[in-house]
Amino acid sequence: MDTFGYLGQGFGVALSPYNLLTALCGTFIGTIVGLLPGLGPINGVALLIPIAFALGLPPETALILLAAVYLGCEYGGRISSILLNIPGEASAVVTAFDGYPLAQQGKAGVALSISAWSSFVGGLMATTGVVLFAPLLAKWAVAFGPAEYFVLMIFAIVCLAGMAGDKPVKTAIAACIGLFLSCIGIDANSGVYRFTFGSLGLADGIQFVVLVLGLFSVSEILVLLERTHHGEQAVKASGRMLFNVKEMMFVLATNIRSGIAGFVIGVLPGAGATLASAVTYMSEKRLASKDNKFGNGDLRGLAAPETANSASACGSMVPMLTLGIPGSGTTAVMIGALTLYNITPGPLLFQNQPEIVWGLIASLFVANTMLIVMNIPLIKFFTKILAVPYWALVPAIAIITSIGVYAVHATTFDLFLMTGIGVAGYILRKMDFPLSAILLGFILGGLMEQNLRRALSISNGDLGILFSSPITWVVWAMVVGMIALPIWRTYRRRAERRAEDAAA
Amino acid sequence: MKLTLQTLFFSATCALFAGQALADEPRRPECIAPAAPGGGFDLTCKLAQSALVQEKLLSSPMRVTYMPGGIGAVAYNAVVAQRPADEGTITAFSSGSLLNLAQGKFGRFDESAVKWLAAVGTSYGAIAVRADSPYKTLDDLLAAIKKNPGSVVIGAGGTVGSQDWMQTAMVAKAGGIDPKQMRYVAMEGGGELATALLGGHIQVASTDIADSVPHVEAGDMRILAVLADKRLPGETVSEIPTAKEQGYDVEWPVIRGFYVGPKVTDEAYAWWKDAFDKLLASDDFKKLREDRELYPFAMTGDELDAYVKERVAHYRGMAKEFGLTQ
Amino acid sequence: MSQRIFGVVLLVASIGLALSAWGYQAPFSYEPVGPRAYPLLLLSLLALGGIYLLVKPASAHAVSNEPPLDRHVVRKVTTCVVLLVIYAAVFELLGFIPASTVFAIGMARLYGGSWRASVIAGLLLGVGMYLLFDKLLDVPLPLGILSSLEI
């Protein structure tokens, strides 16, 4: 049977009433879990595995449930990002850059709907990618070794420089702080504990959730306190709840580019949704014309990370299904679930149990469609959050944030750490340092250092390994392109001006 | 509505009676998995969780709490310092935890700080290469390393001093190679390791039998040796030679089990021990264990306590020998 | 001025951390870079940043869109931070429900709720969040002093 025959069979599995109902439950639970700051897809999936098992769901239904929850979480994470400037999970951090300014301008409904639409497009593109290219991409996923990852990180850092804007020094300092924070904890290469000062709470480094919630949630709580003091209610929901055709066309090119990039990055086991959303945001910003509003509510700045992040969530299924290698923390948990059902993901899965693979792929399509159908009417309901007075909203945010942080280690150490990071973040914010640069530095830092050191231990110190494969050449070329593009633009603008001057 | 209330009342009464029948059953049973969801510790907890309910030893399923950090260091300290008398809490451990304990990476507490409860299964270390690798046996591999230590890059899922490193170092030593001469790359976890091996970025992976068997079945990998005392049961697995039969006397079992806090009462400890004794003897448990790709290793109570202490002392000696600790 | 102070703090912190990083060496390692090169590189960059802020603070002065601080705001912010710290300290000790209730009442008062509204919000949040997370979402939360209530 050919691919489409299998896919049709898969839809047969996914569209059975029972499985449809399961997918609906999954998307709903996922949206809620994703919405709560600190709880992400890993929690959602981990929560449902024992339940699925206890209910005695057949394996394909269980997988559909988990896939629906996974995608639902990626959807839900953006809601608190856009409405409250508090990312529901790591990959939604970038969403807040332009999502929150849009909400502040009273366009919360448009922001939510365009991001839902972007997620849908991203998911659709990536799932199509899985159908068409999964076996091919398996090769691509393993072709990325330490050297390739390191060069990719260089590319990401160059993209990051595009964020600098009018305060290059502060952005650079913030990024270095982030890069530095990533080396706290046990060093994965040598096993040395760095900067833990005897604290076991730091043994595994600062947890991502703790940093995100400290920097964004706690500092936002403190900023809201100022606002209450000055008697402002920051964000009002008003106006349209849905984007119009013009806005949709405006972000279309961004959707397509980010969808492809997000999928390709998602397939790489070492990268993930957060990197995908950051890289696409930054490259879209670079590509945009000089008069863009990135950072102040540009719809493209919202569309790029949202498309990329759901595309990458679908992309991370590729190494899981074809190689049995987890493409993300969430797929690692899903592989654990599969073993409970005595299913071993890997190349043999396509041959031995095609109904499971294609049922899952079909259910990605179904869950994706279900999410957009369910999310658009819910926007009205979500924007109601903005009508809740601060005296009720802020304590709720603070408590949910604390639970999210506590859930990581089940120790109160992280609560203190989060408060400390929050206060530091608040001070830095007051001094006009971009907190997002700290966070992106943190994400990139660990990957960059460890992969460089791994690459050099493979080559025994020979730097040539960084230029040794076609992939590295392509990525290096992209690095050069990213640096050259703005220079070339400035040059051309000057040349034009000179031409105008000469004409006048 | 009435029906629901009745059902509720009925189940509440049942629960009450069940509670009375098993008066000793600990309240709020909880299993601490000292890692993020999805790993081996999670698996260990989930195994006990489903088995204890299935065998009707617990009336309500255990909660699983995740407490990642230092292969169990964070959980160990939390149990000893913050909840030493918590009767309902069992914590998962593995040989990897014992190895770190032996190297003093668990902070101020040593191996006698907790009560070792039960070991429920074991896995074994394995040395794997890609299916198209020129190395067919351990001899081939070790000869190549001996000839040119830089030509073979060995990857593992852990840092220097971790169990993955330790087993490689032991194999190298058994082959007359100084472990410091190997070319070693530390990856983070089994997924990264498999990627690097399949992508040809490393030539050898020092890994775990359960992690690599799926890849062997798929025809992508070959296991040169399993570090068990004799060949393991199972279709694919029984064809894998042990290091011992190839003339290298190295064994590396990775046992998985549980401990409880130091101040847990003897009655509660006896209840848990009894529950695990019943569990380990049952056939259903055997199936659950096999589903999770674990091999038999049943030990509880004092026997386990003695075993753990012997192991830790052994690891301590090894760490010193390899120059990891002073 | 604040820029200068920050510059000094950054510089001192970088030097201090660099001193402690100097000792990071593996018993033996297989890689040419080692565990201390990367942090030392970043710390020296951070120290340079600190010096820059110290020497040329004005240049780093961009237009800030954050409202200025006054004494009342600082006092409120401090109170809020103290509340968060206390909350962290009693989270396991008292247990989630009492700790959250008290914390939420304090926070609600701070954010301009009336006493009545704050107490209601506190009780609802304390119990509601416990039910939502512990019961529904399976995130185990400490019961603390209430642990004798649950069977």
Side-chain angles (χ1 to χ4, degrees):
Chain A
M1 216 183 318
D2 63 346
T3 304
F4 290 97
Y6 278 124
L7 187 62
Q9 214 177 28
F11 270 109
V13 175
L15 289 176
S16 77
Y18 186 56
N19 288 343
L20 268 181
L21 190 70
T22 313
L24 185 69
C25 293
T27 48
F28 186 73
I29 295 172
T31 309
I32 300 298
V33 172
L35 170 70
L36 298 169
L39 296 192
I42 296 189
N43 305 78
V45 171
L47 159 78
L48 283 176
I49 288 171
I51 297 177
F53 204 61
L55 289 176
L57 297 183
E60 61 276 7
T61 311
L63 259 186
I64 287 167
L65 178 68
L66 298 181
V69 171
Y70 188 13
L71 289 188
C73 284
E74 301 290 344
Y75 261 73
R78 78 207 145 81
I79 296 169
S80 54
S81 260
I82 291 171
L83 295 179
L84 305 168
N85 202 17
I86 298 172
E89 35 134 357
S91 55
V93 169
V94 183
T95 307
F97 292 0
D98 281 281
Y100 186 62
L102 278 168
Q104 279 178 314
Q105 294 156 21
K107 293 184 197 154
V110 176
L112 283 174
S113 58
I114 204 93
S115 67
W117 165 250
S118 300
S119 291
F120 173 72
V121 174
L124 200 64
M125 287 174 64
T127 318
T128 314
V130 174
V131 172
L132 297 178
F133 307 120
L136 205 77
L137 280 164
K139 290 205 179 72
W140 153 261
V142 295
F144 261 72
E148 285 78 10
Y149 275 113
F150 174 72
V151 186
L152 185 67
M153 292 306 125
I154 297 279
F155 175 69
I157 293 267
V158 173
C159 290
L160 185 74
M163 258 178 61
D166 53 350
K167 38 192 179 192
V169 176
K170 288 193 170 175
T171 309
I173 293 178
C176 282
I177 292 177
L179 290 168
F180 172 74
L181 290 178
S182 74
C183 52
I184 292 175
I186 192 164
D187 169 32
N189 270 295
S190 64
V192 172
Y193 284 107
R194 297 191 292 189
F195 308 105
T196 59
F197 304 105
S199 157
L200 281 168
L202 287 174
D204 275 14
I206 297 178
Q207 296 299 308
F208 196 76
V209 174
V210 181
L211 187 74
V212 172
L213 292 182
L215 279 184
F216 292 94
S217 187
V218 174
S219 80
E220 191 64 30
I221 286 171
L222 296 176
V223 168
L224 286 180
L225 184 57
E226 283 177 30
R227 296 237 170 87
T228 353
H229 183 75
H230 297 297
E232 310 165 28
Q233 182 89 15
V235 179
K236 276 185 219 72
S238 58
R240 282 178 296 137
M241 288 296 146
L242 199 64
F243 56 87
N244 55 32
V245 178
K246 200 177 141 211
E247 284 158 344
M248 193 179 105
M249 296 316 285
F250 181 59
V251 299
L252 189 64
T254 302
N255 282 149
I256 292 172
R257 278 193 296 265
S258 308
I260 296 171
F263 176 62
V264 170
I265 296 176
V267 171
L268 301 178
T274 317
L275 185 70
S277 58
V279 166
T280 49
Y281 179 87
M282 248 71 89
S283 35
E284 282 300 317
K285 191 178 169 186
R286 283 260 160 129
L287 288 173
S289 56
K290 198 75 191 158
D291 56 341
N292 69 68
K293 292 188 294 176
F294 272 78
N296 297 312
D298 196 304
L299 281 176
R300 288 170 298 181
L302 181 62
E306 276 307 312
T307 318
N309 123 28
S310 72
S312 116
C314 294
S316 69
M317 301 274 174
V318 171
M320 175 180 102
L321 290 173
T322 55
L323 299 166
I325 291 168
S328 63
T330 315
T331 43
V333 179
M334 289 175 85
I335 289 181
L338 288 173
T339 16
L340 286 187
Y341 280 103
N342 242 336
I343 300 167
T344 314
L348 292 183
L349 192 60
F350 276 87
Q351 293 162 28
N352 298 348
Q353 289 156 308
E355 72 284 359
I356 287 180
V357 180
W358 294 103
L360 174 70
I361 293 174
S363 68
L364 288 175
F365 280 113
V366 172
N368 209 357
T369 315
M370 214 169 247
L371 274 165
I372 190 152
V373 172
M374 193 179 75
N375 262 266
I376 298 285
L378 280 178
I379 287 173
K380 247 198 155 76
F381 169 75
F382 288 134
T383 49
K384 289 271 190 307
I385 296 176
L386 298 176
V388 178
Y390 281 163
W391 57 262
L393 183 66
V394 177
I397 294 174
I399 290 176
I400 294 173
T401 303
S402 302
I403 296 173
V405 162
Y406 179 79
V408 176
H409 278 153
T411 55
T412 44
F413 175 82
D414 284 332
L415 289 179
F416 290 107
L417 186 62
M418 171 191 77
T419 310
I421 291 174
V423 173
Y426 175 71
I427 294 171
L428 288 173
R429 192 165 160 175
K430 283 277 136 197
M431 297 182 59
D432 218 24
F433 283 89
L435 296 186
S436 46
I438 300 185
L439 192 83
L440 295 174
F442 183 79
I443 298 169
L444 301 176
L447 285 168
M448 189 162 84
E449 183 197 3
Q450 298 303 340
N451 280 308
L452 175 64
R453 286 170 58 190
R454 270 180 213 144
L456 291 181
S457 9
I458 289 174
S459 72
N460 205 12
D462 179 7
L463 286 171
I465 192 172
L466 303 179
F467 307 92
S468 61
S469 71
I471 293 178
T472 55
W473 303 335
V474 172
V475 184
W476 279 119
M478 280 157 62
V479 170
V480 173
M482 265 295 160
I483 297 173
L485 187 68
I487 299 176
W488 181 71
R489 274 218 179 123
T490 325
Y491 171 79
R492 208 181 53 170
R493 209 168 295 129
R494 269 202 207 127
E496 272 168 17
R497 211 174 297 144
R498 219 172 293 137
E500 278 167 24
D501 289 349
Chain B
M1 192 64 208
K2 200 176 164 205
L3 192 77
T4 346
L5 273 179
Q6 263 176 0
T7 335
L8 245 169
F9 180 72
F10 180 70
S11 39
T13 336
C14 278
L16 207 70
F17 277 109
Q20 274 169 354
L22 286 167
D24 288 333
E25 184 181 322
R27 292 183 320 143
R28 274 170 80 83
E30 180 181 350
C31 184
I32 299 178
F41 287 120
D42 190 9
L43 219 67
T44 319
C45 272
K46 295 266 166 65
L47 172 63
Q49 183 190 37
S50 37
L52 284 168
V53 172
Q54 201 170 333
E55 293 297 305
K56 308 215 165 35
L57 294 162
L58 277 179
S59 49
S60 59
M62 283 195 294
R63 311 282 298 265
V64 177
T65 306
Y66 300 101
M67 213 182 265
I71 322 186
V74 171
Y76 200 78
N77 280 267
V79 169
V80 178
Q82 274 139 41
R83 42 212 279 190
D86 214 342
E87 296 181 352
T89 307
I90 62 174
T91 311
F93 76 93
S94 74
S95 296
S97 327
L98 302 182
L99 187 60
N100 269 18
L101 194 53
Q103 291 176 47
K105 288 186 175 166
F106 268 26
R108 58 203 159 99
F109 301 111
D110 67 1
E111 67 274 18
S112 40
V114 299
K115 291 186 175 174
W116 303 97
L117 176 65
V120 294
T122 184
S123 182
Y124 292 94
I127 308 287
V129 294
R130 206 158 75 156
D132 58 2
S133 161
Y135 313 121
K136 309 274 186 211
T137 61
L138 264 191
D139 286 327
D140 293 351
L141 176 65
L142 290 169
I145 299 179
K146 228 178 217 168
K147 206 165 141 207
N148 180 5
S151 66
V152 183
V153 182
I154 305 170
T159 67
V160 172
S162 68
Q163 45 184 350
D164 285 350
W165 178 84
M166 213 52 131
Q167 67 183 29
T168 329
M170 283 165 68
V171 171
K173 212 181 115 218
I177 296 162
D178 179 3
K180 292 182 193 182
Q181 298 301 315
M182 310 185 292
R183 186 81 69 80
Y184 181 88
V185 185
M187 304 283 170
E188 266 173 274
E192 274 191 16
L193 182 64
T195 318
L197 186 69
L198 296 180
H201 307 287
I202 56 175
Q203 279 83 50
V204 181
S206 167
T207 169
D208 183 64
I209 190 86
D211 274 355
S212 37
V213 164
H215 296 288
V216 174
E217 282 168 349
D220 293 335
M221 270 190 203
R222 178 166 60 235
I223 299 180
L224 297 184
V226 54
L227 307 178
D229 56 343
K230 53 180 184 298
R231 288 204 180 199
L232 299 171
E235 207 179 312
T236 323
V237 187
S238 59
E239 289 163 20
I240 302 168
T242 63
K244 260 189 178 165
E245 66 188 72
Q246 300 181 58
Y248 303 93
D249 189 16
V250 181
E251 263 180 59
W252 195 261
V254 181
I255 65 156
R256 301 205 164 269
F258 304 94
Y259 60 83
V260 295
K263 290 189 183 139
V264 168
T265 58
D266 288 344
E267 292 83 53
Y269 179 78
W271 184 91
W272 278 113
K273 179 181 168 339
D274 187 47
F276 272 102
D277 279 334
K278 280 184 197 148
L279 192 72
L280 290 165
S282 78
D283 282 339
D284 292 334
F285 175 77
K286 193 169 159 244
K287 171 147 193 333
L288 286 173
R289 192 197 66 226
E290 278 166 8
D291 285 350
R292 285 158 183 83
E293 322 230 1
L294 286 174
Y295 298 92
F297 188 95
M299 216 182 250
T300 56
D302 292 339
E303 197 191 348
L304 177 70
D305 187 71
Y307 175 82
V308 165
K309 287 180 179 151
E310 181 273 317
R311 278 282 100 180
V312 174
H314 176 67
Y315 292 148
R316 206 167 268 148
M318 278 172 52
K320 198 173 271 178
E321 193 185 319
F322 285 129
L324 293 169
T325 52
Q326 258 67 62
Chain C
M1 195 56 212
S2 66
Q3 308 276 344
R4 283 224 161 92
I5 299 174
F6 183 76
V8 173
V9 172
L10 196 60
L11 188 61
V12 171
S14 307
I15 294 173
L17 287 168
L19 284 179
S20 72
W22 201 254
Y24 294 148
Q25 259 173 326
F28 56 93
S29 88
Y30 297 98
E31 34 134 15
V33 183
R36 72 178 177 193
Y38 179 78
L40 283 179
L41 171 75
L42 286 172
L43 287 169
S44 40
L45 285 177
L46 282 174
L48 281 180
I51 293 171
Y52 184 88
L53 288 181
L54 199 62
V55 178
K56 283 178 81 179
S59 68
H61 237 293
V63 196
S64 171
N65 44 14
E66 297 287 347
L69 289 171
D70 61 43
R71 202 141 41 94
H72 294 286
V73 172
V74 171
R75 194 186 300 151
K76 275 196 170 174
V77 166
T78 318
T79 318
C80 183
V81 172
V82 169
L83 270 175
L84 277 166
V85 171
I86 295 175
Y87 184 48
V90 299
F91 195 86
E92 276 182 340
L93 212 64
L94 290 182
F96 177 79
I97 298 175
S100 302
T101 306
V102 175
F103 171 70
I105 293 174
M107 288 291 275
R109 287 289 300 152
L110 195 62
Y111 283 78
S114 65
W115 269 111
R116 221 176 104 100
S118 301
V119 171
I120 294 173
L123 283 169
L124 281 180
L125 283 173
V127 178
M129 291 290 172
Y130 181 80
L131 293 179
L132 173 66
F133 281 91
D134 192 281
K135 295 297 167 209
L136 233 59
L137 294 175
D138 207 31
V139 176
L141 292 170
L143 265 179
I145 50 170
L146 296 181
S147 58
S148 53
L149 292 183
E150 204 194 46
I151 306 164

